[in-house]
């Protein structure tokens, strides 16, 4: 197998990761609906969704491991004799097996999408409890107030966010594509990425600081549907 074929396979795997991420977002949405409808943390449906999220997180992590190892091994081959290509498969298999053996449950629990899932379910349960304590009229008023208080505009693009990401350090939100692009640009310039929100003191935003905010995304979509109806 040529190195170009290997790189093509890695590109396909990365495309699969995008689909896995989309699937995890859908699972989170379903779990939030279940939590809001039943207002019960022990809901077996939510538990099943959590198990699915963890399985997806495991698959996503394994793909990351595999891609990293293949890229490392192939970079070594590039600097050696062509004969080294023959041991490529065995070398990748050995290192991948060792890496997978060290994969812990704690690492999966810290996966970005798993953290976002738990955050979203917690927020949904809180919202469900609040709804059960208020009548419909009061609830509609609260939702209207909440929507006017929350800023749906990305501080980078100045347009409404599509996939809002929450910064765990300062709790500010940005659209996923915009903030990841900014972080990448700053890294290429060997600079730190400052939070783009005016007045924020966070001077080093990293990708690991960001988690998808599913609750905010649903609010944005809800407001958009409401606007379309009116």
């Amino acid at each position: 197998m040529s190195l170009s074929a290997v790189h093509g396979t890695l590109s396909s795997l990365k495309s699969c990761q995008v689909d896995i991420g989309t699937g995890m977002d859908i699972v989170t949405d379903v779990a939030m609906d279940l939590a809001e409808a039943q207002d019960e943390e022990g809901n077996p449906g939510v538990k099943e969704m959590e198990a699915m999220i963890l399985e997806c997180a495991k698959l996503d992590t394994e793909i990351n491991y595999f891609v990293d190892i293949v890229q490392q091994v192939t970079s070594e081959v590039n600097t050696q004799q062509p004969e080294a290509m023959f041991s490529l498969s065995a070398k990748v298999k050995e290192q991948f097996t060792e890496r997978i053996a060290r994969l812990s449950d704690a690492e999966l629990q810290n996966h970005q999408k798993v953290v976002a899932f738990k955050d979203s379910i917690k927020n949904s349960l809180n919202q469900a409890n609040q709804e059960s304590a208020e009548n419909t009229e009061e609830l509609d008023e609260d939702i209207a107030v909440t929507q006017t208080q929350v800023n749906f505009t990305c501080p980078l693009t100045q347009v409404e966010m599509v996939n809002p990401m929450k910064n765990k350090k300062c709790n500010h939100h940005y659209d996923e594509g915009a903030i990841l692009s900014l972080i990448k640009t700053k890294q290429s310039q060997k600079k730190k990425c400052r939070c783009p929100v005016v007045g924020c003191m966070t001077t080093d935003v990293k990708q690991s600081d960001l988690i998808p905010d599913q609750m905010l995304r649903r609010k944005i979509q809800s407001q958009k549907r409401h606007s379309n109806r009116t």
Side-chain angles (χ1 to χ4, degrees):
M1 179 183 286
S2 67
L3 286 179
S4 60
V6 171
H7 293 149
T9 301
L10 294 186
S11 180
S12 297
L13 282 174
K14 289 177 181 178
S15 295
C16 286
Q17 282 186 292
V18 174
D19 293 335
I20 291 171
T22 301
M24 294 174 85
D25 288 342
I26 293 172
V27 170
T28 300
D29 277 342
V30 173
M32 290 170 70
D33 287 338
L34 289 172
E36 289 170 4
Q38 307 227 356
D39 185 21
E40 193 172 324
E41 197 166 4
N43 184 340
V46 174
K47 296 295 183 184
E48 288 175 13
M49 297 297 106
E50 183 175 357
M52 289 177 65
I53 283 285
L54 287 170
E55 281 299 314
C56 289
K58 184 172 184 289
L59 179 57
D60 183 60
T61 303
E62 288 175 351
I63 291 175
N64 279 333
Y65 284 172
F66 184 77
V67 170
D68 287 346
I69 291 168
V70 171
Q71 288 177 335
Q72 179 184 341
V73 171
T74 52
S75 67
E76 293 170 358
V77 169
N78 283 332
T79 61
Q80 298 173 5
Q81 297 298 320
E83 305 87 65
M85 278 291 294
F86 295 109
S87 62
L88 180 65
S89 178
K91 208 169 184 180
V92 168
K93 184 176 181 180
E94 179 185 355
Q95 292 187 25
F96 181 68
T97 302
E98 290 176 0
R99 193 88 174 266
I100 290 300
R102 297 198 302 269
L103 178 59
S104 66
D105 183 61
E107 189 172 351
L108 294 180
Q109 294 291 342
N110 286 324
H111 187 285
Q112 183 188 61
K113 295 282 189 181
V114 175
V115 173
F117 175 89
K118 292 185 175 181
D119 231 19
S120 299
I121 297 304
K122 180 181 177 181
N123 290 336
S124 294
L125 288 168
N126 288 340
Q127 181 173 314
N129 289 333
Q130 182 182 1
E131 288 179 6
S132 64
E134 299 172 346
N135 60 41
T136 304
E137 183 179 345
E138 290 173 334
L139 177 60
D140 288 341
E141 184 180 341
D142 287 343
I143 291 175
V145 171
T146 300
Q147 289 179 338
T148 57
Q149 288 175 340
V150 176
N151 188 358
F152 295 159
T153 303
C154 172
L156 286 165
T157 63
Q158 295 302 311
V159 298
E160 189 173 79
M161 291 179 282
V162 178
N163 292 310
M165 302 290 283
K166 179 182 177 181
N167 188 331
K168 293 184 290 185
K169 288 182 177 177
C170 59
N171 291 328
H172 289 136
H173 290 84
Y174 336 96
D175 201 44
E176 182 178 21
I179 188 63
L180 293 182
S181 177
L182 179 62
I183 291 173
K184 187 176 180 179
T185 299
K186 292 297 183 182
Q187 286 176 339
S188 67
Q189 298 170 345
K190 308 296 183 184
K191 295 179 180 179
K192 292 181 178 180
C193 178
R194 175 183 287 274
C195 176
V197 175
V198 177
C200 183
M201 302 301 290
T202 303
T203 58
D204 189 13
V205 181
K206 297 185 177 71
Q207 186 171 346
S208 57
D209 298 328
L210 307 173
I211 57 171
D213 193 328
Q214 301 286 64
M215 181 64 75
L216 181 56
R217 182 171 66 85
R218 283 159 66 95
K219 286 179 180 178
I220 293 171
Q221 291 173 343
S222 174
Q223 188 186 60
K224 190 175 292 184
R225 285 194 298 269
H226 180 73
S227 298
N228 291 337
R229 286 198 299 267
T230 56

